Amino acid sequence: MTVWDRPEPPNPPVPLDRELIITAAIALADEGGLEAVSLRKVAARLNAGPMRLYGYISTKQELFDLMVDEVHGEILPEEQPGDWREALRVVAHRTRRAALRHEWLADLLGGRPTLGPNGLAVTEAKLAALDGLADIDTVMRAVETVSAYLIGVIRREIANLRAERATGLSKRDWQRASGPHMTRMLATGRFPALTKAVHDGTDVDPERSFTIGLDWVLDAVALKLSQPPA
Amino acid sequence: MTVWDRPEPPNPPVPLDRELIITAAIALADEGGLEAVSLRKVAARLNAGPMRLYGYISTKQELFDLMVDEVHGEILPEEQPGDWREALRVVAHRTRRAALRHEWLADLLGGRPTLGPNGLAVTEAKLAALDGLADIDTVMRAVETVSAYLIGVIRREIANLRAERATGLSKRDWQRASGPHMTRMLATGRFPALTKAVHDGTDVDPERSFTIGLDWVLDAVALKLSQPPA
DNA sequence: TCTCATAGCGATACACTGTATTTCGGCCTT
DNA sequence: AAGGCCGAAATACAGTGTATCGCTATGAGA
């Protein structure tokens, strides 16, 4: 082999850093879902070999944690309104919208404690909104309850969205039990209440149902704020 | 090769069926978490080749769905108490206990619509508990809200449990921010409300916090039952 | 009873995964 | 100019879900 045959380095190795890796991983996940995120593909986007990433992250799970924290950065509102209720509402809606932008977030939400800086900042914002309005334990319980509701609704909304997409049925049809499976199930007569609900229920769009449920939970919080624990 | 060399079939192929497969998969998941469930390992438990499973399930995702539905069978209470509140409470606690028995359930909860027979039966039970106490839309919203809370709290409880286990810290220590990471984060001063909460908050056991949050959500439901929508 | 078809099962194959280990090439120091 | 070192890349490995292929044992028909 002469000098002339020697292939020149195809790309001068780009200096890597965590932020670049996270951005690439998020882009991949936005396009093809979480399962499209492989260390090889992330590395390829950055013109690097897979092993190179291990200088910046120590495991794939850690990469996921970093992705989640990055999105928590999008969730943090720039300024907090004074009213606690409005503050919690804003964070909730921002979380939901983030999950609609990054559907994979639903897969990760609540899966691990959120200890990243942005995740903690979001928790801080929730706590701060209620700070001083009740004893600290009540405040914590309130934040935990609202957060739990959030995780649950968002997961369900995304799950339904994917199901509709996969079956090609509109939400209306699906809720109306037009799917052959549901039709068969309901026909057994074992689920009278469900049948009635599917048949007579109004179908509301997810945002509205999200908001209603959220308001209920916030009502419950309001109730406890006005009645300190026994 | 003579007849004498011919190896006899090592195990007369056990007649397989979905139930056997599901049971084996659940056993594996109970022992080693979801990621310990591979089609090869499930098949091995049943003295079968991996491909054999594809006669009964068409994809791994489907196996997961079946596992979830199986556990929903454990959740269904044998008899419904008359009081709607007690009925919902029972289902909630049974769900939580099922998730503690099968921690992997937390990873799957809310991830996909629950359309299996047992899953539908659980939904039916929730709807039935509230049937007639308000218009059908209010009832649906109530069930959805409670279910969302359930998914969220359970996920969080399991996530925390795993984190404690992994770090070797007791929940007390972790909540007290004894972890080096948390200590550093709180020391930045960027999270005053969180710091106060961690510092001054009483640590309650997860079951109690679960119950309190649940009661709040049920209070919210009670409120709406007494005030039909505008 | 002998032959043939068929169905079901195992083995093989493939493309890919996360990660450990090894190898190599270029730079810096002496 | 030589040697050492460090970072990146290549290789390696054990495993994954699933498609395909080939055999074998059984049942049907003649």
Side-chain angles (χ1 to χ4, degrees), chain A residues 1 10 13 30-31 36 46 89-90 110 143 163 175 181 207 217 229-230:
Chain A
M1 130 134 66
D30 285 347
E31 293 162 19
L46 303 167
R89 239 201 294 256
V90 166
V143 169
Q175 267 189 184
H181 171 79
E207 168 156 14
V217 175

Side-chain angles (χ1 to χ4, degrees), chain A residues 106-113 115-118 120-124 127-128 131-132 136-145 147-153 155-156 158-160 162-163 174-175 181-182 185-186 190-198 200-204 208-209 212-217 219-221 223-224, chain B residues 106-113 115-118 120-124 127-128 131-132 136-145 147-153 155-156 158-160 162-163 174-175 181-182 185-186 190-198 200-204 208-209 212-217 219-221 223-224:
Chain A
D107 301 317
L108 265 19
L109 259 190
R112 295 164 58 86
L115 302 174
N118 293 324
L120 291 181
V122 169
T123 305
E124 168 72 18
L127 284 169
D131 196 34
I136 193 70
D137 289 319
T138 304
V139 168
M140 284 177 70
R141 214 84 321 126
V143 169
E144 284 173 8
T145 305
S147 303
Y149 169 76
L150 259 187
I151 294 171
V153 254
R155 283 203 121 215
R156 198 200 21 234
I158 301 289
N160 286 340
R162 285 172 178 160
W174 185 81
Q175 267 189 184
H181 171 79
M182 277 300 268
M185 281 309 217
L186 296 185
R190 290 169 50 203
F191 313 106
L194 215 175
T195 307
K196 189 163 67 161
V198 162
D200 301 343
T202 320
D203 49 319
V204 297
R208 184 156 167 67
S209 127
I212 295 177
L214 177 61
D215 275 331
W216 289 23
V217 175
D219 283 348
V221 170
L223 217 66
K224 303 303 157 178
Chain B
D107 301 317
L108 265 19
L109 259 191
R112 294 164 58 85
L115 302 173
N118 293 325
L120 291 181
V122 169
T123 305
E124 168 72 18
L127 285 169
D131 196 33
I136 193 71
D137 289 319
T138 303
V139 168
M140 284 177 71
R141 213 83 324 124
V143 170
E144 284 173 10
T145 306
S147 304
Y149 169 77
L150 259 186
I151 293 172
V153 254
R155 282 203 121 213
R156 195 196 27 231
I158 302 290
N160 287 340
R162 285 173 178 158
W174 184 81
Q175 270 189 180
H181 171 79
M182 275 301 267
M185 280 309 217
L186 296 186
R190 292 170 46 203
F191 312 105
L194 214 175
T195 306
K196 190 164 67 160
V198 163
D200 301 343
T202 319
D203 49 319
V204 299
R208 184 156 167 66
S209 128
I212 295 177
L214 178 61
D215 275 332
W216 289 22
V217 175
D219 283 348
V221 170
L223 216 65
K224 303 303 158 178

